[in-house]
Amino acid sequence: MRNYQFILFLIFALSFIYPNNIKYVSNISFIGNISIKESNLRSLIKLQTPRFFSRSEFSQKKLNKDKIILEAYYKSKGYLEIDIMTDYTLFNEKYINIKYFINEGRQFNLSHLDISGNKIFSKINILSEFKNTLNNKYYNPAGIRKILQKIKQQYLENGKIDIAIMDEIIIENNDVTVRINIFEGNTYYIRNINIRGLQNIDEKYVARELAIASGDLYNVKEINKSKNNIFNSRLFSSVEIRNKKIENETTLIDIDIKLREYKSS
């Protein structure tokens, strides 16, 4: 009797560890892909067909994520009109077959890149950041925005706190013209560095970690370095650095450093 009860308990426990409602991917097929090989598409997605000692657990959420990944990849290759539909069927109560129906649409080419508003960096220097993008010829919106983030970082390292970079596109047939409008704003220098939150630790232990000083050109890279230095000193559980604009000042800024010491036991 006890053995029988133990077997029932074991079956009950295993039903929680290995639930019967889990379904696994059996087959994945792509229909309509012309320009991009199926092997390339398969390498991008998370859900995969069975391999040695591994299989993908299916969920609608994972399928949706894979669809987004595929669409983003197509757009990075200039296929702005990409349309992907998914369908899946269940068989043997446990296995799923997935189909991707792909309508690639037209591939758009980057025909021209125009830059305006730049002052501290030359047009040649900025265009050099787009060298690979221009060589690829097709329009890659995500790639361009990634480069714009890099350019924005360079401005923030050169005193341009208010930097704003906007891009707009003009499409004619299969050709795309990208216009990049740069609003540099004023150049800022550091006036004061205010350290707050110290209770038991001397300010000199914070000052020695700073990569910035009063009078320096504002540089977000050096500010982030200072933040990391302070945190890595292991004297504080929290380090927060903020810019504080000064009323009636267009070229000076204060830096507020807010610290939280570890609680003594």
Side-chain angles (χ1 to χ4, degrees):
M1 183 65 178
R2 289 182 178 178
N3 289 338
Y4 177 73
Q5 290 176 336
F6 175 76
I7 292 172
L8 287 178
F9 172 78
L10 186 61
I11 293 172
F12 180 76
L14 288 174
S15 68
F16 283 92
I17 299 173
Y18 302 104
N20 292 326
N21 61 348
I22 291 180
K23 297 174 178 57
Y24 299 97
V25 175
S26 176
N27 185 57
I28 299 174
S29 57
F30 298 87
I31 302 166
N33 56 303
I34 300 171
S35 303
I36 299 179
K37 294 180 181 179
E38 182 175 312
S39 58
N40 291 347
L41 298 178
R42 285 184 183 276
S43 68
L44 297 170
I45 56 180
K46 302 298 182 183
L47 291 175
Q48 294 288 332
T49 52
R51 301 174 183 175
F52 289 111
F53 306 111
S54 70
R55 52 185 178 174
S56 294
E57 184 179 323
F58 175 83
S59 74
Q60 183 68 54
K61 185 176 180 180
K62 291 178 182 178
L63 181 60
N64 291 340
K65 285 184 177 180
D66 280 347
K67 177 186 173 184
I68 292 171
I69 289 171
L70 292 173
E71 289 174 339
Y73 181 74
Y74 264 100
K75 288 179 180 178
S76 75
K77 299 297 182 183
Y79 293 94
L80 304 185
E81 299 171 339
I82 180 66
D83 182 40
I84 300 177
M85 303 289 290
T86 60
D87 188 27
Y88 62 89
T89 54
L90 174 67
F91 71 98
N92 288 345
E93 298 182 356
K94 197 172 183 179
Y95 299 100
I96 297 287
N97 287 335
I98 299 173
K99 290 183 179 180
Y100 291 95
F101 298 93
I102 300 172
N103 181 8
E104 293 180 339
R106 297 176 292 168
Q107 186 179 36
F108 290 84
N109 301 313
L110 178 59
S111 63
H112 186 66
L113 190 63
D114 184 48
I115 299 170
S116 64
N118 56 300
K119 295 177 183 177
I120 66 171
F121 298 123
S122 71
K123 187 174 182 179
I124 293 175
N125 287 339
I126 294 175
L127 285 174
S128 68
E129 298 288 347
F130 293 91
K131 182 179 179 180
N132 292 334
T133 301
L134 293 170
N135 288 341
N136 288 333
K137 294 187 178 179
Y138 51 78
Y139 173 59
N140 179 358
I144 287 177
R145 288 194 173 91
K146 186 176 181 179
I147 294 170
L148 292 181
Q149 284 297 321
K150 181 179 178 182
I151 294 171
K152 183 176 181 180
Q153 179 72 16
Q154 292 172 1
Y155 273 102
L156 289 170
E157 292 174 10
N158 284 272
K160 299 297 186 180
I161 295 175
D162 299 323
I163 178 65
I165 302 177
M166 302 180 67
D167 63 300
E168 56 179 329
I169 64 171
I170 300 172
I171 299 177
E172 186 174 350
N173 297 320
N174 285 24
D175 294 326
V176 177
T177 297
V178 178
R179 290 179 177 173
I180 298 172
N181 304 307
I182 300 174
F183 306 92
E184 293 185 344
N186 296 327
T187 302
Y188 283 85
Y189 292 82
I190 297 172
R191 186 183 71 168
N192 296 322
I193 300 174
N194 306 311
I195 301 173
R196 309 181 192 281
L198 296 177
Q199 295 178 349
N200 301 312
I201 298 173
D202 196 296
E203 188 173 307
K204 67 180 180 181
Y205 295 109
V206 180
R208 71 183 182 183
E209 305 296 345
L210 296 180
I212 55 175
S214 297
D216 284 357
L217 179 69
Y218 179 90
N219 185 332
V220 72
K221 182 179 179 180
E222 296 302 312
I223 290 173
N224 289 335
K225 181 180 178 181
S226 299
K227 181 178 180 179
N228 290 333
N229 288 348
I230 296 170
F231 189 78
N232 291 335
S233 71
R234 299 184 179 181
L235 296 173
F236 305 96
S237 62
S238 174
V239 180
E240 185 179 345
I241 300 182
R242 290 185 178 181
N243 304 327
K244 184 179 180 182
K245 287 194 173 182
I246 305 165
E247 190 175 354
N248 299 324
E249 282 286 355
T250 57
T251 60
L252 295 176
I253 194 163
D254 287 344
I255 303 296
D256 281 356
I257 302 175
K258 185 178 178 181
L259 306 171
R260 181 180 299 167
E261 299 178 3
Y262 284 105
K263 293 181 180 179
S264 55
S265 54

